C-alpha cells in the first residue's frame, strides 16, 4: 500500500493570512501528483496535476510546487478568503490503471 | 452534460439487508471507481473498473461487489449490510488519471 501523507491535518486561519500545506509521497514509481479541493457537502474537484520535478502550477491565489526527488509537494494559498475553506486532498499516481492513492486531506477553515 | 451522477443520495438500511448503489457517467470514460469516505480516513478505494465488463479490487473490497455491464454504469452492491459499512460512498470516473467525482451517497446501516 502506498503511503501518501498530508500535514497538518487541519488548519484554522484568519481571512487574509497566507497558508501552505505539505503532501509527501513515495519518490519511486512517480508518474503524477494531483491536488483536489473538496468543499463541504460537495464532491472533490481537481485543482492541479503535476508531473515534472520542479513544476509550479498556479490558479488565482492558489499555487503548488513539486519535488519528485524528495517526494513532496506544497500547496500555497495567498491571502486566504472564507470561500477557500475546504478540504484539500493530494493524490499520488503511479501510472497503473489510472488508480490514485489519496492522502487523508487537510481541512482549512478561514475565519472572516 | 450531467457528469457523474449517483443514486440514491441517502439510504438507511437494517443490518443484513442488501442494496445496490448506481453510478452513471456521460463522459464516455473508460475508468470508474468506488470509494468510501470515513472521518479521519480520507478516500479509500473499494473497487474499480478499467473498462466495460471488467472489475478489480481496491484497498477495502470486503463486503462489496461491483459490476460494469455497460460502459456508462458502475454498480456497487452490498449483499448483507453491516454497521461498519455506514459511510459516504463516492463514485468517480476518468479517461486518464484526473478523476471526476459524483455527489456521493450517504448510507446508514442500523
Amino acid at each position: 500500500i502506498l503511503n501518501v501523507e498530508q500535514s497538518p491535518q487541519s488548519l484554522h486561519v484568519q481571512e487574509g493570512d497566507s497558508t501552505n500545506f505539505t503532501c509527501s509521497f513515495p519518490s519511486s514509481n512517480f508518474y503524477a501528483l494531483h491536488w483536489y479541493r473538496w468543499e463541504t457537502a460537495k464532491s472533490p474537484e481537481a485543482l492541479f496535476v503535476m508531473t515534472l520535478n520542479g513544476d509550479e502550477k498556479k490558479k488565482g491565489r492558489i499555487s503548488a510546487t513539486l519535488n519528485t526527488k524528495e517526494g513532496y509537494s506544497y500547496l500555497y494559498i495567498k491571502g486566504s478568503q472564507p470561500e477557500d475553506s475546504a478540504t484539500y486532498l493530494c493524490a499520488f499516481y503511479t501510472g497503473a490503471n489510472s488508480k490514485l492513492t489519496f492522502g487523508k486531506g487537510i481541512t482549512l477553515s478561514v475565519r472572516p | 452534460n450531467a457528469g457523474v451522477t449517483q443514486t440514491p443520495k441517502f439510504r438507511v438500511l437494517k443490518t443484513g439487508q442488501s442494496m445496490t448503489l448506481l453510478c452513471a457517467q456521460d463522459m464516455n470514460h473508460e475508468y470508474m471507481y468506488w470509494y468510501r469516505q470515513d472521518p479521519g480516513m480520507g478516500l479509500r478505494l473499494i473497487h474499480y473498473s478499467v473498462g466495460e465488463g471488467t472489475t478489480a479490487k481496491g484497498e477495502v473490497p470486503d463486503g462489496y461487489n461491483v459490476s460494469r455491464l455497460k460502459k456508462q454504469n458502475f454498480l456497487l452492491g452490498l449483499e448483507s449490510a453491516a454497521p461498519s459499512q455506514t459511510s459516504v460512498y463516492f463514485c468517480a470516473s476518468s479517461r486518464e488519471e484526473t478523476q471526476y467525482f459524483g455527489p456521493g451517497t450517504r448510507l446508514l446501516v442500523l
Side-chain angles (χ1 to χ4, degrees), chain A residues 1 9 31-32 34 36 38 42-44 46 49 51 89 93 97-100 102-104, chain B residues 31 33 35 37 40-43 45 48 50 59 90 94-99 101-103:
Chain A
I1 294 178
Q9 193 172 2
Y31 192 96
H34 293 231
Y36 283 79
W38 192 358
K42 294 187 179 179
S43 48
V49 179
T51 55
L89 297 167
Y93 178 57
N97 292 327
S98 287
K99 280 198 304 175
L100 293 173
F102 284 88
K104 292 182 180 178
Chain B
Y31 303 98
Y33 315 83
Y35 294 92
Q37 186 243 335
M41 301 297 289
L43 285 169
L45 183 65
Y48 65 101
V50 300
E59 186 186 346
F90 285 93
S94 71
R95 179 171 292 111
E96 296 175 349
E97 71 263 28
T98 298
Q99 294 185 11
F101 286 82

Side-chain angles (χ1 to χ4, degrees), chain B residues 4-25:
Chain B
V4 181
T5 58
Q6 291 182 231
T7 309
K9 287 185 169 51
F10 176 70
R11 184 79 184 265
V12 179
L13 286 180
K14 293 182 181 176
T15 297
Q17 286 185 315
S18 63
M19 81 163 292
T20 301
L21 282 66
L22 170 64
C23 175
Q25 52 95 5

Side-chain angles (χ1 to χ4, degrees), chain B residues 37-81:
Chain B
Q37 186 243 335
D38 302 292
M41 301 297 289
L43 285 169
R44 292 186 291 168
L45 183 65
I46 304 171
H47 285 279
Y48 65 101
S49 168
V50 300
E52 181 178 318
T54 76
T55 63
K57 293 180 180 180
E59 186 186 346
V60 288
D62 294 343
Y64 305 95
N65 56 73
V66 287
S67 65
R68 183 103 182 264
L69 298 178
K70 293 182 180 179
K71 187 177 184 179
Q72 62 268 35
N73 295 337
F74 195 28
L75 277 61
L76 178 72
L78 285 73
E79 288 185 349
S80 179

Side-chain angles (χ1 to χ4, degrees), chain A residues 2-86:
Chain A
L2 298 169
N3 208 21
V4 179
E5 300 283 345
Q6 291 190 249
S7 62
Q9 193 172 2
S10 65
L11 204 52
H12 299 264
V13 301
Q14 199 68 39
E15 181 176 353
D17 288 348
S18 292
T19 186
N20 66 85
F21 317 133
T22 305
C23 172
S24 60
F25 51 86
S27 53
S28 59
N29 296 321
F30 178 85
Y31 192 96
L33 192 283
H34 293 231
W35 281 99
Y36 283 79
R37 173 191 159 88
W38 192 358
E39 292 181 71
T40 303
K42 294 187 179 179
S43 48
E45 290 185 352
L47 266 177
F48 303 116
V49 179
M50 310 181 77
T51 55
L52 299 175
N53 186 43
D55 239 1
E56 182 166 344
K57 301 255 175 158
K58 189 174 162 108
K59 188 181 285 189
R61 293 178 290 97
I62 304 177
S63 60
T65 61
L66 179 68
N67 183 321
T68 60
K69 293 182 179 176
E70 294 182 41
Y72 65 84
S73 175
Y74 292 140
L75 187 80
Y76 300 92
I77 302 178
K78 185 178 176 183
S80 303
Q81 299 296 309
E83 58 264 31
D84 295 328
S85 297

